[in-house]
Amino acid sequence: MDDDSALTAAADEVVDGGSNGQPSSANGSAPRRRATAQSMAASQRDISVSEFFAKNRHLLGFDNPRKALLTTVKEAVDNALDACEEAGILPEIWVHIETTGESRFKVGVQDNGPGILKKTIPMIFGKLLYGSKFHRLRMSRGQQGIGISAAGMYGLLTTGKPVKIMSKISPRKPAHYYEIQIDTKHNKPEILNGRGEGVDVPPGEKGREAIEKLGIEWIEVNHGTRVTIELEARYQRGRGSVDDYLEQTAIANPHVTIHYQDPDGNAKSYSRVAESLPPEPKEIKPHPYGIELGRLVAMLKDSEAKTLSAFLSDTFTCVSPAVARRICETAKVSTRANTKRIGRHEADALYKAIQETKIKAPATDCIVPIGEELILKGLHQVVPAEFYVAATRPPAVYRGNPFVIEVGLAYGGEPTAHKVSREALEELLSQSDSRTLRQFLATSFEGLGFEAADRILKEAGLKTRISPGKLKKQSIDKLHEAMRNVNLSSGQSMNVLRYANRVPLQFQAGACAITQTIMQTNWRAYGLSQSRGGLPSGPVTVMVHVASVWVPFTSESKEAIAAYPEIQKELRLGFQAVGRKLGMYVKRRQKVKQEGQRRAIFLRYLGEVATACSRLNGADRERLYNDLLRVATKKTADADLRFDESGQPIIDEDPEEYGENVLIVDRQNGH
Amino acid sequence: MTPSTLEALVMPKKAPKRVPGEKKTPVKYTEQDKKTLGRLTGLADGVVLAAEKNREPHVDIPARTLSNVHYSPKKKIIEMGGNTNRRQLFNLSQAKSYMQTLLVATGCKQLIDEGKTTSIRGLFYILKHTIEGTKEETFSDQAECDPIIEDVEVALEALREELHVYASNRGTMVGEITLIDSGDEIDCTRLGSGGYSIPSICEPDVIRFRKCDAKFVLHVEKDTVWRRFNEDKFWRKHKCILTHGGGQPSRGVRRLLYRLHNELKLPVFCLLDNDPWGYYIYSVIKQGSINLAYESRRMAIPDARFLGLRSKDFERCGLSKSVQIGLNDTDRKRAKQIAGYPWFEHKKEWQHEIRQLLDNGFKLEVEALISKDISYVTEEYAPQRLREKDWLD
Ligand SMILES: Nc1ncnc2c1ncn2[C@@H]1O[C@H](COP(=O)(O)OP(=O)(O)OP(=O)(O)O)[C@@H](O)[C@H]1O
Ligand SMILES: [Mg+2]
């Protein structure tokens, strides 16, 4: 398929240009011939994908030690969740990270999934491009068959340690324990333990003894898999960290329980808020709309169908024989034509005919959105805010692939910088690799930009250019004070959480269609401030979920979503849906705030007025004051009220007013 | 402004912490005091009553605006109309001035209770303090306080002196009169070069006229001109009283002129600059001001006359071009405005006068006459105008 060939093409390029640092060919202008076709042929050979990716690890998300740690955790967790869901098991995941040396960590991820059959374990963990998800159109987190073996390969390359797998498919059957390393030359697994056969661990008490003896890390479950990878990495909290990833995973997967233990031994759990699994996504055939001409030609060649009509209705979803006939008629090609004989010209006509024929939208049950209700629950559990709104768009199609856009938004509440404890701050400072304090603040805390960082530093009376690690105790105190006191909501920029098939995307925000579309949306209309073409600002978090049978990533490291016009359009509609409701809420909140300020102004003069009157006529000051206070409260009763769109007061805030899928958390009158 | 000793006495550093009713020395109230106190109490009663009935308290303040004054052709003075502005506590833009209004009232009550008077600046200091629980001052500066004092005057229909507040002295007098000021006899023929400083309160209980040989009053615009006339002993030669008001005459000066005119039957002549400002000063002396329309009836002198300078004087007196001061846009606007005043509107001579000023395109100060001869104004100009009865009415 396309992506497959893209990989090969990339690999070819490397082979051509990269082998001996030789120019690939004489390009006329070269004064002297350095290599001949013959000499070059000697160095031209097949390279394995493993070799290719070992050299180009950034393509898979291993560009630096910090990201390597995250990618490893991520690949293992994604697989665990995919496996559990596919097997219909409510996922419970354990993530343990342990420091094993300077810049060395051991990552262990265990699930309560179905387990893996003995014979496929080595291939899954010791061979790139081996997986169950690539050759199908079905919504899942993993899709390429590279993820976990690449992580294992990275571990092997940096520490020389093999990947350790323990997997069990039933409480009565033995578990299998493997120590595997990938043979990068041949993209093939090598089993190191049990004389190349792995070890079977019997069920029950005996097994427990064996686990103890072999030093296998294992949490007792009836079935499940544990992967342990040791790698060279760096652990640092803040944006783009493992902690962040797990937190965001919890938001988009409210049916998952995660137990996390960080390298410092701190334990944190996210408990599921939904007790049922999302419905099982169905595997589908591609939809004819948007299929590219080249792909259509390739499909025709590969097809085993006897007639064109059969090809169309077998290969594509939503194409009945009647629809197939209409396509053929429009293309002026016989329905009974032999697919192998379809020429370039006819294929072109077919392609055009497909676009012109009315074909119903693909079945939507192949995509399982999180759903508005669960988005609200998930956001509410993790992001403290006052107002939550969610919108799940109806399914749409890009390049023949159905997809669904979901948007959740949380507004109000304290930014994370306000919540950070003195201890946590000190730790963050000591771990930071930011060169300046300013950079540290802007990159470590969600929704805190450089402008807010500057204000914090000014308040704390600290220089912007000090190195975070060199801060004295007293200065840390001051910084902590300032972080709590400075009003961060002005100038704080929108916190964007991006997801593809429930997996958080943490890097390459700028290259992602989600971020780009947010910036192109006019959020000012919804009561947020926004400079032209930038992210809006304010205490607001947006989560965006792109769910599809095939998510169009911009690269293999699955970090950013490609900007297909159909996807951007749906994103825009999603933002508008939540934006409108946000706008209503913000307007009401402003009104309430204004009334509150009005009241405060009256109150500040009441005391003077009461005193003056009692001096003039001897009236009882306290009584008069209380009377006036009562009038003031009545007069500004609006401060206690909320208003609907037409300015009518609402006696009790009623989320129904906003329509469905809005959650309002009363945090003391919204002040 | 020079603070008097009294002012120093009543100028506390901090907010007054006196409990009402707790007086240091018992004071005998005058009848007027009792009346004023009654009105002050009434102001507070209104607040208490409203609050008890769960209503928003307010004070109605007669509007001191152009739209609320009218000219009475019969009395020939500006009078205040019946329009009032409602000032409310529970109105964002009025809350603070409402509070300030009540504060001014308490300040006045305190002064009356203690039998003292103070300047408007003194009152400002009495009332200025930080509002409890805030960093806000009750009054940020005196300019904020002064109009509130005037508001209280009109709202309570009490004159400034009845509230025990006075403005600073402005204006000087000299001439053929002897008066008694607070028990001291003052012979205005024997005051040297400085003259008698006209107090801000010129009520009969402060100033009584003892003996008067003057036949008229000459009021000039400002100190410099007044000094010329005094040095030349104009008042002796022409048997008159010579005053100036330092520009726009204060209430004290106007009140004194009014009393000289009405009680001693002295005609009042004004010698002012030939410009819109000069016309305006004359207008205020004659008909009263918009701002203090409620005081017109005790201050305005409809019979006052305008002796000069006139628009025709540049030619008539043969002045040199260098004394001309060009009119600017505001001057022209003001001049047209004044020409439209009801009391000038139907006076042909005034219309002609103002039109000529505009035609000239320049204004003249009285001092311009000095360019002819240092005593030209006292020896020729003024005597000649008086002799020829050449003035505007
Ligand atoms: N914890 C697990 N439990 C059960 N099966 C697993 C588990 N981890 C991986 N697998 C199986 O191994 C296959 C290969 O996993 P891998 O992560 O290499 O690729 P992938 O998930 O298919 O795609 P991607 O490269 O996008 O992650 C998966 O397709 C899945 O069938
Ligand atoms: Mg995977």
Side-chain angles (χ1 to χ4, degrees):
Chain A
M1 286 199 205
D2 285 354
D3 296 73
D4 198 357
S5 52
L7 281 183
T8 331
D12 287 349
E13 232 167 74
V14 173
V15 179
D16 276 345
S19 38
N20 293 322
Q22 304 276 8
S24 50
S25 65
N27 51 9
S29 64
R32 187 157 50 98
R33 237 178 143 167
R34 296 185 191 177
T36 61
Q38 285 76 10
S39 73
M40 279 169 68
S43 58
Q44 281 164 353
R45 64 195 149 87
D46 194 16
I47 61 148
S48 88
V49 262
S50 341
E51 245 180 338
F52 169 68
F53 280 118
K55 275 192 181 156
N56 297 282
R57 47 177 80 157
H58 61 278
L59 289 180
L60 299 177
F62 294 92
D63 357 7
N64 63 57
R66 183 172 185 234
K67 214 165 142 190
L69 186 68
L70 173 71
T71 305
T72 303
V73 170
K74 192 173 141 137
E75 291 299 344
V77 170
D78 288 355
N79 282 352
L81 293 177
D82 272 347
C84 288
E85 282 167 20
E86 212 168 327
I89 301 162
L90 270 176
E92 184 163 4
I93 311 260
W94 291 264
V95 178
H96 292 174
I97 305 180
E98 210 179 292
T99 318
T100 55
E102 205 188 328
S103 69
R104 260 195 195 199
F105 295 87
K106 192 164 77 183
V107 173
V109 176
Q110 184 174 336
D111 59 56
N112 61 342
I116 308 171
L117 290 181
K118 180 178 161 89
K119 64 171 196 280
T120 55
I121 293 177
M123 300 298 265
I124 285 174
F125 296 94
K127 181 175 169 61
L128 288 186
L129 292 174
Y130 181 92
S132 53
K133 308 168 199 168
F134 185 78
H135 298 281
R136 65 180 190 196
L137 277 180
R138 181 184 193 269
M139 180 181 154
S140 60
R141 294 172 181 79
Q143 53 192 27
Q144 295 158 343
I146 300 177
I148 198 62
S149 18
M153 183 171 81
Y154 178 83
L156 178 71
L157 287 172
T158 54
T159 67
K161 298 270 166 112
V163 187
K164 296 172 185 166
I165 302 104
M166 169 83 168
S167 191
K168 189 176 165 81
I169 55 171
S170 148
R172 290 172 306 277
K173 290 197 174 139
H176 312 292
Y177 177 67
Y178 278 101
E179 293 182 4
I180 296 172
Q181 68 182 38
I182 188 167
D183 171 355
T184 42
K185 274 234 163 57
H186 304 100
N187 185 23
K188 210 179 72 184
E190 257 178 83
I191 300 158
L192 304 182
N193 64 338
R195 286 196 212 89
E197 294 292 324
V199 176
D200 285 354
V201 178
E205 195 49 48
K206 262 205 217 142
R208 241 160 271 152
E209 279 165 22
I211 286 171
E212 185 98 8
K213 220 178 88 205
L214 293 167
I216 303 172
E217 288 166 0
W218 181 247
I219 287 162
E220 197 59 46
V221 285
N222 284 343
H223 43 77
T225 305
R226 185 183 184 104
V227 194
T228 307
I229 296 173
E230 200 165 333
L231 71 161
E232 205 161 88
R234 210 164 56 74
Y235 175 73
Q236 190 200 325
R237 284 175 237 265
R239 252 187 229 173
S241 63
V242 172
D243 304 51
D244 245 24
Y245 160 75
L246 293 176
E247 183 171 303
Q248 291 177 26
T249 301
I251 295 177
N253 299 274
H255 61 289
V256 173
T257 292
I258 302 171
H259 308 281
Y260 170 49
Q261 194 178 318
D262 72 17
D264 304 325
N266 306 315
K268 168 147 199 178
S269 285
Y270 298 93
S271 306
R272 65 175 63 92
V273 286
E275 282 305 327
S276 59
L277 274 171
E280 198 186 351
K282 294 209 178 89
E283 211 177 312
I284 61 143
K285 296 179 235 168
H287 192 277
Y289 277 168
I291 281 276
E292 283 147 353
L293 181 57
R295 197 162 158 207
L296 181 66
V297 173
M299 283 167 133
L300 281 164
K301 286 237 162 66
D302 288 353
S303 172
E304 256 132 54
K306 298 246 156 46
T307 64
L308 185 56
S309 163
F311 162 77
L312 288 171
S313 45
D314 286 357
T315 317
F316 296 108
T317 180
C318 302
V319 179
S320 61
V323 173
R325 190 170 350 105
R326 250 176 286 144
I327 295 174
C328 294
E329 275 162 17
T330 317
K332 301 201 168 66
V333 183
S334 159
T335 51
R336 325 188 114 261
N338 185 335
T339 51
K340 301 274 182 307
R341 301 246 173 87
I342 298 285
R344 187 77 207 190
H345 187 71
E346 286 151 313
D348 204 40
L350 264 180
Y351 175 77
K352 286 207 187 93
I354 287 173
Q355 315 307 320
E356 284 162 25
T357 310
K358 199 168 156 39
I359 306 168
K360 75 174 200 298
T364 60
D365 52 2
C366 57
I367 299 171
V368 182
I370 303 169
E372 293 168 343
E373 197 191 320
L374 285 181
I375 290 177
L376 289 181
K377 272 193 184 164
L379 267 178
H380 181 215
Q381 198 208 9
V382 183
V383 181
E386 290 158 6
F387 176 81
Y388 301 85
V389 55
T392 296
R393 295 282 313 152
V397 182
Y398 83 92
R399 252 185 68 183
N401 297 312
F403 70 97
V404 167
I405 298 293
E406 296 185 279
V407 182
L409 182 147
Y411 176 84
E414 279 183 291
T416 42
H418 274 313
K419 295 182 298 188
V420 70
S421 72
R422 168 74 173 67
E423 293 72 40
L425 177 64
E426 190 165 348
E427 211 180 315
L428 280 169
L429 281 165
S430 67
Q431 290 167 355
S432 170
D433 61 350
S434 301
R435 290 212 333 276
T436 66
L437 205 50
R438 181 169 183 263
Q439 193 187 9
F440 163 77
L441 287 171
T443 52
S444 306
F445 300 97
E446 275 162 23
L448 198 156
F450 282 104
E451 195 212 335
D454 285 340
R455 273 186 290 140
I456 290 174
L457 290 174
K458 197 168 161 219
E459 164 95 12
L462 295 170
K463 290 206 187 72
T464 52
R465 310 190 61 76
I466 330 177
S467 144
K470 291 197 180 123
L471 225 53
K472 298 220 171 63
K473 273 220 151 19
Q474 237 182 345
S475 304
I476 297 179
D477 285 341
K478 274 197 218 145
L479 181 66
H480 186 239
E481 246 327 269
M483 286 174 68
R484 305 188 131 260
N485 293 339
V486 168
N487 174 17
L488 297 171
S489 46
S490 68
Q492 175 194 352
S493 64
M494 177 188 267
N495 185 23
V496 181
L497 308 178
R498 296 173 292 131
Y499 295 89
N501 285 353
R502 295 177 187 244
V503 179
L505 309 179
Q506 290 171 292
F507 299 97
Q508 296 207 31
C512 184
I514 293 176
T515 322
Q516 288 163 2
T517 313
I518 288 180
M519 292 183 183
Q520 287 157 13
T521 304
N522 177 14
W523 293 89
R524 269 166 296 182
Y526 311 128
L528 298 180
S529 48
Q530 179 185 27
S531 54
R532 191 175 295 277
L535 279 180
S537 51
V540 56
T541 297
V542 162
M543 72 153 282
V544 184
H545 182 210
V546 177
S548 178
V549 290
W550 188 270
V551 178
F553 288 112
T554 56
S555 83
E556 290 71 31
S557 58
K558 300 187 281 187
E559 287 166 346
I561 291 171
Y564 281 92
E566 297 89 342
I567 293 181
Q568 286 193 301
K569 181 182 162 206
E570 281 301 313
L571 283 169
R572 213 158 19 243
L573 291 171
F575 296 143
Q576 283 165 7
V578 296
R580 270 192 294 274
K581 291 178 183 178
L582 169 70
M584 278 168 74
Y585 180 75
V586 170
K587 253 175 238 142
R588 283 177 203 186
R589 217 178 78 131
Q590 273 165 355
K591 178 109 192 178
V592 170
K593 203 166 146 201
Q594 271 168 13
E595 284 301 309
Q597 283 166 348
R598 257 161 68 92
R599 181 179 293 178
I601 288 173
F602 296 148
L603 292 189
R604 76 179 5 197
Y605 300 131
L606 283 195
E608 290 288 336
V609 169
T611 307
C613 283
S614 92
R615 277 193 196 152
L616 285 170
N617 69 356
D620 181 65
R621 187 196 175 275
E622 289 322 302
R623 224 188 108 190
L624 177 58
Y625 181 82
N626 288 328
D627 284 349
L628 287 172
L629 192 64
R630 203 182 55 235
V631 184
T633 314
K634 185 181 93 179
K635 170 84 182 171
T636 54
D638 298 353
D640 306 322
L641 280 184
R642 320 232 170 168
F643 290 79
D644 69 13
E645 268 167 313
S646 55
Q648 290 298 307
I650 300 162
I651 303 311
D652 260 317
E653 179 77 44
D654 183 4
E656 300 273 302
E657 280 291 311
Y658 292 93
E660 276 174 22
N661 304 310
V662 165
L663 178 71
I664 293 167
V665 182
D666 198 359
R667 292 183 200 269
Q668 255 136 50
N669 239 336
H671 299 306
Chain B
M1 256 168 245
T2 47
S4 67
T5 44
L6 183 62
E7 204 172 302
L9 267 179
V10 293
M11 194 196 293
K13 283 269 146 4
K14 276 198 185 129
K17 290 242 166 55
R18 271 171 227 145
V19 181
E22 181 219 53
K23 277 165 251 147
K24 274 176 278 170
T25 43
V27 167
K28 232 183 135 294
Y29 296 126
T30 63
E31 280 312 304
Q32 182 58 54
D33 284 345
K34 285 181 195 158
K35 227 165 84 189
T36 313
L37 279 176
R39 289 176 183 168
L40 287 167
T41 314
L43 187 66
D45 291 345
V47 181
V48 175
L49 204 70
E52 273 172 0
K53 294 198 168 150
N54 220 348
R55 285 202 296 256
E56 299 175 25
H58 64 262
V59 229
D60 287 329
I61 296 166
R64 292 179 291 119
T65 55
L66 186 60
S67 60
N68 192 37
V69 295
H70 63 266
Y71 174 64
S72 156
K74 214 175 98 211
K75 294 187 221 156
K76 293 186 173 170
I77 58 170
I78 300 178
E79 286 183 322
M80 190 127 129
N83 294 352
T84 55
N85 287 332
R86 180 153 288 193
R87 181 167 293 167
Q88 289 171 303
L89 171 56
F90 296 119
N91 174 315
L92 271 198
S93 57
Q94 297 171 357
K96 186 165 189 185
S97 51
Y98 181 92
M99 170 212 70
Q100 290 171 329
T101 311
L102 283 165
L103 277 185
V104 166
T106 58
C108 296
K109 179 176 157 68
Q110 187 188 331
L111 289 169
I112 296 171
D113 282 345
E114 292 176 13
K116 302 215 165 124
T117 57
T118 185
S119 66
I120 49 176
R121 186 154 187 83
L123 187 61
F124 162 66
Y125 275 115
I126 291 175
L127 301 176
K128 181 174 155 70
H129 62 263
T130 311
I131 297 168
E132 204 184 303
T134 72
K135 284 178 186 160
E136 189 179 344
E137 290 290 306
T138 49
F139 294 95
S140 54
D141 55 21
Q142 200 184 334
E144 205 181 342
C145 186
D146 291 353
I148 303 276
I149 297 175
E150 286 174 1
D151 288 343
V152 172
E153 287 176 49
V154 290
L156 299 185
E157 286 183 69
L159 298 169
R160 190 170 280 193
E161 50 272 23
E162 293 169 2
L163 294 170
H164 287 219
V165 181
Y166 56 82
S168 60
N169 290 1
R170 207 159 73 191
T172 316
M173 173 165 88
V174 73
E176 298 288 340
I177 188 167
T178 303
L179 44 81
I180 307 213
D181 177 352
S182 312
D184 298 332
E185 187 170 302
I186 291 153
D187 180 350
C188 290
T189 59
R190 323 173 112 250
L191 293 171
S193 60
Y196 169 66
S197 168
I198 302 168
S200 81
I201 297 177
C202 294
E203 295 311 305
D205 57 340
V206 181
I207 292 176
R208 279 183 293 126
F209 303 129
R210 176 93 185 246
K211 176 169 153 272
C212 179
D213 294 328
K215 290 193 291 250
F216 67 93
V217 180
L218 179 67
H219 179 80
V220 300
E221 186 166 331
K222 52 203 161 202
D223 180 57
T224 46
V225 180
W226 182 88
R227 263 195 255 167
R228 176 85 263 120
F229 277 89
N230 189 28
E231 203 177 291
D232 293 346
K233 292 290 175 276
F234 179 89
W235 46 270
R236 179 166 293 152
K237 217 179 283 171
H238 297 273
K239 287 272 174 236
C240 73
I241 295 169
L242 184 66
T243 58
H244 82 83
Q248 167 84 289
S250 65
R251 292 195 220 196
V253 172
R254 287 176 58 199
R255 181 70 177 141
L256 186 67
L257 289 176
Y258 176 92
R259 288 188 60 207
L260 291 171
H261 177 73
N262 286 285
E263 291 172 29
L264 304 178
K265 305 293 175 220
L266 302 178
V268 173
F269 298 99
C270 302
L271 183 60
L272 309 162
D273 290 345
N274 174 235
D275 62 12
W277 182 237
Y279 298 156
Y280 182 71
I281 291 175
Y282 172 67
S283 164
V284 167
I285 291 175
K286 192 176 173 77
Q287 262 82 36
S289 73
I290 291 159
N291 204 25
L292 298 178
Y294 57 98
E295 297 254 55
S296 296
R297 94 196 115 75
R298 344 178 291 130
M299 287 185 181
I301 309 164
D303 287 336
R305 267 104 192 220
F306 184 81
L307 202 63
L309 294 190
R310 302 281 297 277
S311 302
K312 60 185 177 187
D313 284 342
F314 178 74
E315 284 188 10
R316 175 163 65 172
C317 308
L319 301 177
S320 89
K321 255 199 156 106
S322 57
V323 300
Q324 296 176 353
I325 305 170
L327 289 178
N328 58 31
D329 286 346
T330 15
D331 288 333
R332 270 185 280 271
K333 225 176 85 193
R334 292 281 288 142
K336 282 176 196 149
Q337 227 172 29
I338 289 166
Y341 283 169
W343 48 97
F344 287 142
E345 209 180 347
H346 304 294
K347 287 186 178 161
K348 262 199 208 126
E349 288 181 306
W350 267 107
Q351 293 301 321
H352 184 258
E353 167 68 26
I354 296 171
R355 201 168 327 115
Q356 197 174 354
L357 173 85
L358 290 168
D359 290 346
N360 285 349
F362 58 81
K363 45 193 182 183
L364 294 172
E365 288 189 305
V366 177
E367 289 92 322
L369 298 177
I370 291 171
S371 69
K372 267 195 85 81
D373 181 279
I374 204 135
S375 291
Y376 175 75
V377 66
T378 60
E379 285 166 9
E380 287 185 46
Y381 187 89
Q384 199 176 341
R385 296 290 101 80
L386 287 165
R387 209 177 321 117
E388 292 169 4
K389 294 194 167 42
D390 180 9
W391 54 62
L392 286 177
D393 185 29

